[in-house]
Amino acid sequence: MPATFERHLTGISVPVTALKSRHSEGIGEFLDLIPLAEWCKNAGVDLIQLLPINDTGFMASPYSAYSAFALHPVYLRLSRVAGTEPYAEDIRAFAETLEAEPRVQYERVLRFKLDVLRQVFADRKEEIAGDASLQEWISANGWIKPYAVFYQLRGQYNNWGWLGWPAHQNDSLEDIEQQWSEMGTDVLFYAWLQRELERQLLEARAALQTAGILLKGDIPILMNDDSADVWAYRPNFNLQMRAGAPPDVFATTGQHWGFPTYNWRYLERTRFAWWKDRLEQAEKFFDAYRIDHVLGFFRIWSIPSTESTALLAHYEPNAFMTHYELLAAGFDAHTIRLISKPWTTAQQLQDALGSTAQTTATTYFEPETHGVLFLKPAFANEPAIFSLPEPEATKQFLLSLHRDRALLEPIAGRYAPFWYIKRTRGFQRLTEDRQRRLLDLVEKHKTKADAIWWDQGLRLLSMLREATPMIPCAEDLGAVPDCVPDVLEMLDILSLKIERWIGSQDASDGPLMHPKRYPLLSVCTPGVHDTNSLRGWWLEDGWQKREYYHSLGFTGEPPATLTPDIAERILIRNLETNSLLCIFQIQDLFILDPDLLMEDASEERINIPGTVGDHNWSYRLPTTLEALTEEHADFTSIVQRLVRTHRTAAPRPEATSQEAARPV
């Protein structure tokens, strides 16, 4: 058991925005963690897990930050900021108008708070500018000047992303320092604001420490390309590539996140200074942290910045096939082109485009070779195709050719397999013997890649592990390479086990692995912010609900909706886990008290991945935190009783390794 753990811990996860207290001003704030900690102490809960709290501007998603360091202004309690006294009545009136709102009014709250803060800053500008302690804080936080100058320039350029600025796109750190000096008190606003945010969060952290409650943060692996960090620390990032995830049953073209990948070679030359600074900043506030998309530290799904989908992508780093290896395997130069370049035949062109086929062939294709027309390199990319003065049907046909390659060539003479390699026309045109030889070569290089991923993951995660005493918890979901569990265990990094996604091979468990079989070094949870709540999960089709219901000790047919007695059995099943941490979304506990339930279970969900709308990131608690403590004593007692199950659980020696769990 890691030295940081003396026993099993139980926690709750909740977005700061979702919190509601008698003093909050329209949205959850850092200081709301104080009454939440009081309830946690009464309920025997050991830990509070948050979503990312960095500044994302008016984007409600906490995973698209403008800064890896700056806190979000929306979490500041105005009434606790010196100089807001003249605006107290307006602040209270605004908060009262939002008290009854069932969902977070994110943009509305942020606009109001920023308006008040700018007015307060204008009222106190000279006093703030002369504050020696603020100057000391600025000197101690090297990230603040690039962040402040970035925001000031963004405002000057009508809030355009920096890639669209008419100037200052390529400012050096020396240029930024000069800009800071020239902008005077205008940029000081952002430093003053960030210090106020830090003060309130540190106040909350101190209260949690007094109550004996740990605070767990969330550090997204990637940065928004329109962020102060990508703008100011450009060499850390590879702007030619974007990160995402490969295709799966939920997203047949993969996931394109739009964030630049890292230039790990450069970061390593700097001894990972930016990452270490980022962790040092987080360490001010957190006892533990979630390593978002830990698989990306081993290898990232790397998409050319010109692509709109994640299809023509490859893992980076990789063990690429070489041109010479393909030749040695019996593929001549023409065949290599056939499986790695977009092509068609005259007949296919005629069938697709009819009367315009000949003109299209002459304009966009090379002369016919061995019965094949290769698309000219100048047109073998999405921007070129989308900009053509052609009918939509012609563009879509060319686009389909562009995306039909058995091998990708991210580096000249170096090849990676297309995700759907067997479906491509180039592969299907090969003889059966050549298909087998190509797949053998792909498999050989996958084995080589596993070794590369092991090395990179161990190197990068060792850096994270050594940089901070915070407890690291990995989000290791997705297509997990074989090396990941072993590296996590070597470094005492906790993995993530989501019960509904882990199938069982033991009949006594039911259809899902019993959490008591999870490895010791793991976090057990029934669901996360991207999944349905327990009530919502129970309403879903497509899973073995009846068998699971019976594994809980019930008989007959499961009821249509999740009842408190069934929910309690599910919570107990998770609390019986061998995992060091057991964490519940707070709304999954509310089912134990009918007075805390929302009418529609879908309202409890925090985010639906791949969708955009007001339903995401706007969940709000159904009551205040003070009321939770004062008016729901029976609920608190039930939670306390259940938590003892995990607090007193003894580790199971046979389940202490990062054993692989079979996905459902």
Side-chain angles (χ1 to χ4, degrees), residues 139-151:
S139 297
N141 291 271
W143 57 269
I144 189 63
K145 290 182 180 179
Y147 167 77
V149 171
F150 170 82
Y151 249 106

Side-chain angles (χ1 to χ4, degrees), residues 298-374:
F298 292 82
R299 83 288 185 273
I300 198 79
W301 191 245
S302 196
I303 311 161
S305 59
T306 55
E307 294 296 311
S308 60
T309 75
L311 275 175
L312 297 187
H314 62 280
Y315 283 124
E316 183 64 42
N318 214 319
F320 295 112
M321 291 174 272
T322 68
H323 188 80
Y324 298 106
E325 284 179 296
L326 288 168
L327 290 173
F331 297 94
D332 56 69
H334 174 73
T335 303
I336 294 173
R337 286 194 77 195
L338 195 71
I339 58 178
S340 64
K341 305 295 182 186
W343 58 270
T344 188
T345 64
Q347 186 60 55
Q348 289 169 342
L349 199 58
Q350 179 66 39
D351 293 344
L353 302 180
S355 61
T356 63
Q358 185 56 49
T359 303
T360 302
T362 304
T363 307
Y364 303 117
F365 290 84
E366 296 176 354
E368 188 171 352
T369 305
H370 300 294
V372 171
L373 296 166
F374 286 102

Side-chain angles (χ1 to χ4, degrees), residues 574-594:
N574 278 266
L575 285 163
E576 289 174 342
T577 184
N578 185 59
S579 304
L580 285 174
L581 282 179
C582 181
I583 297 179
F584 300 104
Q585 294 190 91
I586 194 169
Q587 60 269 41
D588 285 343
L589 297 177
F590 289 162
I591 193 172
L592 301 174
D593 186 337

Side-chain angles (χ1 to χ4, degrees), residues 470-497:
M470 291 188 293
I471 302 165
C473 305
E475 186 263 304
D476 55 336
L477 305 178
V480 182
D482 293 341
C483 59
V484 172
D486 290 337
V487 170
L488 296 184
E489 185 175 30
M490 285 173 62
L491 299 175
D492 279 353
I493 296 175
L494 278 65
S495 62
L496 178 62
K497 304 299 177 188

